[in-house]
Amino acid sequence: MNAIRRNGPSSWPWTLALALLLLFAALLRCQHVKADPPRVLPAVSGSAGIYFDEGIYCHNARNRILFGRWITDEWNPLVYNAPLTAVYFLAFRLFGISIVTVKAVNILFGLLAILLFHAGVRRYLDRGAALALSALFAFDFVFLMYNRLGLLENFSSLCLLLGFYLFILAEKRRWPAFALGVTAAVAALSKYLFAYFLVSTLAAVAWRAWRRSRFAELLLFLAGALAIAIPWFVGIYLPFRSTFRKIGAGWGMLSLPRSIAAAARNLLDNPLPRYLQLLPAVGLLLILFLAWALLRLLRGRAGEGPGGLDVFVFLWAAGAFLSMGLLNYRPLRYYLPIIPALYLAVSLLLRDREWIRSRLRPFAALALLSALLFLPFFGQLADRAAA
């Protein structure tokens, strides 16, 4: 049930359909590319950073092109995302410095993310289901709108989906485990808030290695992560220690709860239900996914427990929910990397639909329990609507 199915090469109609999907996704993202994002995005998240963050995160790359130096003042995006700075520098060298170049880079990240999403789910879903789910993901309103903006989160989402694809490849071969470690580390360094992905991926790899007694995979993953972490520590962190301390102090005052009680209140008042107003169908399926996860755990002794991919997707979504939910400041863009995980959760429901149908009664009971568990979060949403 949990094994990754290997498929032969796609026939040309399906390849053409995927190409058309990517073309339409690109056209939608390129329409009026210079336009500001829709007002509903800052309105629902309470943050207007999306109106000016595009300029600040390409600052070092622009400096290098215009003045021959990466750093010309005290604003230094290198410490936030060094790989993305390198990508912007290359794009500016090839296509010139403009807001269109910044947006085009992020649109490309979004299209590559769609391609990786499809390549991954195609390993365990049939062609029709994989293409249909990829289309829903490609045209998701929130993901599409944010793909048009020059934000850190688009690069991070691409890294996370590359990690998903490599995790699947590592099911059968060893070398992807090293690349997975590299990718998970880059994802964590692309925005330090997303370090949960490195932790959740490490836990999923360890789980699979333990179940299969294949610890070489875990060692290769750790080697890949260290291959990125050590150069970053020596080349970025040590030279800019004072900048990191300054940023950490300011960000801590803004975002970190002051007590366990404050953290609990933040989690209970998690804005994810409010954000799910923009993708309500996926929000409903999230309840079913939790029921599926509980049923997998309960059936573990019967040999039907969660597999490596199941643990990977669950911990990705749970890590994002908990890590972002504990913060004082958590705008919608911080939740962008959870959107692929939600659609991957749907893919697991589709993969196991026959298994779920054969255990419909316990699944329905667990779905009701899952809905009750979510009541405190959606109750906050109802209270706001009434007010």
Side-chain angles (χ1 to χ4, degrees):
M1 180 70 67
N2 289 320
I4 303 299
R5 188 169 69 237
R6 300 295 298 272
N7 296 291
S10 300
S11 59
W12 71 265
W14 293 101
T15 303
L16 178 60
L18 177 60
L20 289 173
L21 169 62
L22 291 171
L23 176 62
F24 286 126
L27 290 174
L28 278 177
R29 285 160 171 77
C30 291
Q31 287 295 310
H32 305 291
V33 71
K34 292 184 179 181
D36 286 335
R39 285 180 293 179
V40 67
L41 297 184
V44 77
S45 67
S47 171
I50 56 177
Y51 288 116
F52 53 79
D53 280 0
E54 292 176 302
I56 64 177
Y57 289 121
C58 65
H59 186 61
N60 288 139
R62 183 185 58 196
N63 287 344
R64 180 64 178 172
I65 298 293
L66 294 178
F67 309 114
R69 292 186 296 161
W70 293 102
I71 301 171
T72 58
D73 49 39
E74 294 188 7
W75 176 248
N76 184 12
L78 272 173
V79 303
Y80 289 93
N81 192 327
L84 182 58
T85 296
V87 172
Y88 279 145
F89 171 72
L90 179 61
F92 288 161
R93 284 290 298 270
L94 292 174
F95 304 109
I97 300 172
S98 74
I99 190 62
V100 174
T101 303
V102 172
K103 289 177 177 291
V105 166
N106 285 271
I107 289 171
L108 180 60
F109 289 157
L111 296 176
L112 290 174
I114 296 166
L115 191 59
L116 287 168
F117 179 93
H118 180 269
V121 299
R122 181 66 187 91
R123 307 281 293 190
Y124 55 87
L125 294 180
D126 60 57
R127 291 188 178 101
L131 188 65
L133 191 59
S134 299
L136 291 175
F137 173 61
F139 300 131
D140 178 271
F141 174 76
V142 176
F143 194 69
L144 193 157
M145 288 296 106
Y146 273 97
N147 281 175
R148 293 165 47 86
L149 303 175
L151 302 175
L152 301 179
E153 287 79 8
N154 288 313
F155 179 74
S156 301
S157 297
L158 174 61
C159 291
L160 270 58
L161 278 167
L162 177 58
F164 157 68
Y165 183 63
L166 289 170
F167 188 89
I168 290 178
L169 292 184
E171 178 83 13
K172 298 293 184 182
R173 289 174 279 182
R174 285 189 177 183
W175 69 264
F178 180 85
L180 176 60
V182 169
T183 303
V186 171
L189 296 176
S190 69
K191 193 177 182 89
Y192 305 123
L193 284 175
F194 303 150
Y196 66 80
F197 183 76
L198 176 60
V199 176
S200 63
T201 305
L202 172 61
V205 170
W207 167 266
R208 187 163 68 183
W210 173 70
R211 290 193 68 187
R212 296 187 166 200
S213 298
R214 197 175 69 176
F215 294 101
E217 179 182 354
L218 178 59
L219 293 176
L220 284 169
F221 175 86
L222 293 172
L226 288 173
I228 294 298
I230 293 174
W232 172 85
F233 183 78
V234 174
I236 301 295
Y237 179 77
L238 290 180
F240 300 107
R241 289 191 302 272
S242 61
T243 302
F244 275 100
R245 283 195 295 268
K246 190 182 300 183
I247 293 171
W251 184 84
M253 291 177 60
L254 172 68
S255 297
L256 294 180
R258 297 290 185 268
S259 65
I260 294 177
R265 284 195 301 272
N266 285 348
L267 189 59
L268 184 61
D269 197 27
N270 197 308
L272 183 60
R274 186 169 75 251
Y275 297 157
L276 288 176
Q277 294 177 91
L278 301 176
L279 47 161
V282 176
L284 174 62
L285 290 169
L286 181 61
I287 295 175
L288 300 182
F289 175 68
L290 181 57
W292 166 90
L294 291 172
L295 186 58
R296 278 287 183 195
L297 287 174
L298 292 174
R299 298 291 298 179
R301 291 186 178 180
E304 301 175 10
L309 182 61
D310 306 337
V311 173
F312 175 81
V313 174
F314 178 82
L315 292 181
W316 175 356
F321 179 81
L322 293 173
S323 299
M324 300 301 103
L326 291 171
L327 300 177
N328 298 330
Y329 177 69
R330 54 272 178 94
L332 175 57
R333 64 181 182 274
Y334 285 10
Y335 285 83
L336 192 66
I338 201 177
I339 292 177
L342 296 179
Y343 281 93
L344 291 177
V346 175
S347 77
L348 296 181
L349 293 174
L350 288 172
R351 183 200 65 185
D352 290 352
R353 56 188 180 275
E354 294 299 328
W355 181 81
I356 293 171
R357 188 177 292 118
S358 66
R359 294 153 183 82
L360 195 56
R361 283 189 177 181
F363 178 78
L366 290 170
L368 179 60
L369 175 62
S370 301
L372 293 174
L373 290 175
F374 273 89
L375 272 181
F377 301 102
F378 288 98
Q380 295 284 342
L381 177 61
D383 291 343
R384 283 198 192 91

